[in-house]
Amino acid sequence: MELIAQATAARAILNGHQPGPQDKAPAGDDLPTIEELEEARDDHKKKIATEREADGRAREAYKKARAADAKNHKSKGKTGARIIRARWKPAV
C-alpha cells in the first residue's frame, strides 16, 4: 500500500499536480503500473541503504571518539598518579 501511495504521488508530481491531504485513495484505473511500482521500490531501497550507511558511519565515529576519550582519560590518570608519587616523600 505504501509503494502504491508513493508511486501515485510520484506520478502526480510528474504530471504537475502536488498531492495533498484532500486527495482521496486512487481509483481502480488510476493504479500505478508495474514499472512505477518497481521504480518506487528501488528508490525506497536506495533511501534505506543510504540511511543505514550514514547510521553506520555515525556509529563508527562515535565508537572511535569514545575509545579515544577513554584512552586519553586513562593516560591522564596514569600521568597524574606518577607525578603525585614522584613528589611524595615519606615523613622522617
Side-chain angles (χ1 to χ4, degrees):
M1 292 302 286
E2 183 179 340
L3 289 176
I4 291 173
Q6 289 176 1
T8 303
R11 178 191 286 167
I13 291 170
L14 287 174
N15 291 333
H17 173 73
Q18 295 295 327
Q22 72 277 7
D23 291 338
K24 296 184 179 180
D29 58 337
D30 235 5
L31 292 174
T33 64
I34 293 297
E35 291 83 15
E36 290 172 325
L37 286 173
E38 289 173 346
E39 186 175 337
R41 180 193 62 208
D42 292 343
D43 290 345
H44 182 70
K45 285 183 179 180
K46 288 177 187 174
K47 177 183 171 190
I48 296 298
T50 302
E51 290 173 355
R52 284 184 180 161
E53 288 174 12
D55 187 46
R57 286 191 303 270
R59 186 177 292 120
E60 286 301 316
Y62 176 75
K63 285 180 182 178
K64 286 180 183 177
R66 286 204 48 173
D69 186 45
K71 183 179 178 182
N72 190 21
H73 181 63
K74 285 181 183 178
S75 67
K76 282 184 180 178
K78 289 180 182 177
T79 305
R82 283 189 222 134
I83 292 171
I84 291 171
R85 286 188 199 129
R87 289 184 190 167
W88 182 78
K89 294 181 182 178
V92 181

